[in-house]
Amino acid sequence: MKDFAQEVQEISTWLSKHGAVENNGMTRLLYTKEWINAQKSLKNAFEKSGLFAYYDDIGNLFGQIKGSKYPDEVILSGSHIDTVVNGGNLDGQFGIEAAYIALDYLHKTYGQPLRTLEVVSLAEEEGSRFPYVYWGSKNIVGIAKSDDVKSIIDTDGIHFIDAMHDAGFKFRDEQQEPRNDIKTFVELHIEQGNVLEREQTTIGVVNSIVGQRRYSITLKGEANHAGTTPMAYRKDTIYAFSRICYEAIEQAKQHGDPLVLTFGRVVPHPNTVNVVPGQTDFTIDCRHTDKQALNQFTDELEKNIQRISKEMGITAEIDLWMDEYPIPMDNQLVEFVKEICDKNQYSYKMMHSGAGHDSQIFAPKIPTVMMFVPSIKGISHNPAEATHLADRNAGVKLLTEVLYKLAYIE
């Protein structure tokens, strides 16, 4: 297989100009000028390479090579073009670049495929501008609803629908059936963790994406004077939080991998030095690859929160606002990629994804497989996000081989 290092570096440098901020960061939010310019630049690049480039209603961008024998069997590959605020230039973007490089090479080397090949630059995945995630992939599979976003606004008070219309796009016609021609989705992504790097492994073959449960919790006690309220008479919500946090994390450690638990945001009230905090708001993020194990752990966690609160004479309001099931990748495709790795002697590891990805939206509807390349120090959603060029090159080589066998072989 050809060495793609030069193309990988050149395309990354070129596309990263759209949304670049100081300190080598990247901010490219849905329907902003940076997002629009990135999609337009990709469309021009697709067309110059001989691909048929087009948008769908909401702004997902596709570059297509029509199949000669099975034109209605589409092999789709790509990722999302949006970023977090002040993130890096690989999360999402690398998967688009890799699919574009692969399609360009395959088209020029082997000509028209038997099955249709498409690269996709998905409109949105991160939820960084508006409080909604996976807008791009959810529209493709037909599960996004206009009612879910019609009333939401960004931090500047701009309505989702206005931003979409100003960018030149509109809602998908929900009376129409979603696409039924996509037979396979393949996503190449940076790991966003440090497992591959620590194990000195080049490729991660993803067999599942974790389920997630996220909570917003409010503890209500009694604010009181820090000097005149004896310790025995306090209803201190920070103390209650500390007990909840300690017990839960110790239990998570005892449970072991692949369960992970995070207390990510903690806000005491009134949050001042000389007042016992009468209210504390905090969040919990819990993830596991097994639905039953995730539910059992978090159900027990909820009981412990209520138990500790009752013991301390305070109340706990628990809001479970995200409850996403674990999503397995297609077993046949996972084995297919594994066989290619074995044949080409790639250093690889079978693994799950601890982060959410567009693949989890496609997988329940379309046979899907996902591959990782290492992230240096496991850093992502950060200007320091990086992957060695040799690893990115290996990922593109693998993706090209996968797409070749899916689209060109009978």
Side-chain angles (χ1 to χ4, degrees), residues 194-223:
N194 61 359
V195 174
L196 293 176
E197 184 183 56
R198 282 181 176 272
E199 299 188 10
Q200 298 183 326
T201 303
T202 304
I203 299 293
V205 181
V206 179
N207 51 26
S208 66
I209 297 176
V210 294
Q212 301 183 44
R213 278 191 154 190
R214 293 185 185 179
Y215 294 88
S216 292
I217 296 171
T218 297
L219 303 179
K220 292 184 177 180
E222 183 177 76

Side-chain angles (χ1 to χ4, degrees), residues 9 58 62 66 102 117 124 131 145 220-221 263 286 320 327 360:
Q9 190 61 59
I58 64 100
F62 301 85
K66 200 75 172 177
L117 272 171
E124 189 275 341
K145 302 297 181 185
K220 292 184 177 180
F263 289 79
C286 190
L320 174 61
I327 301 294
Q360 74 190 61

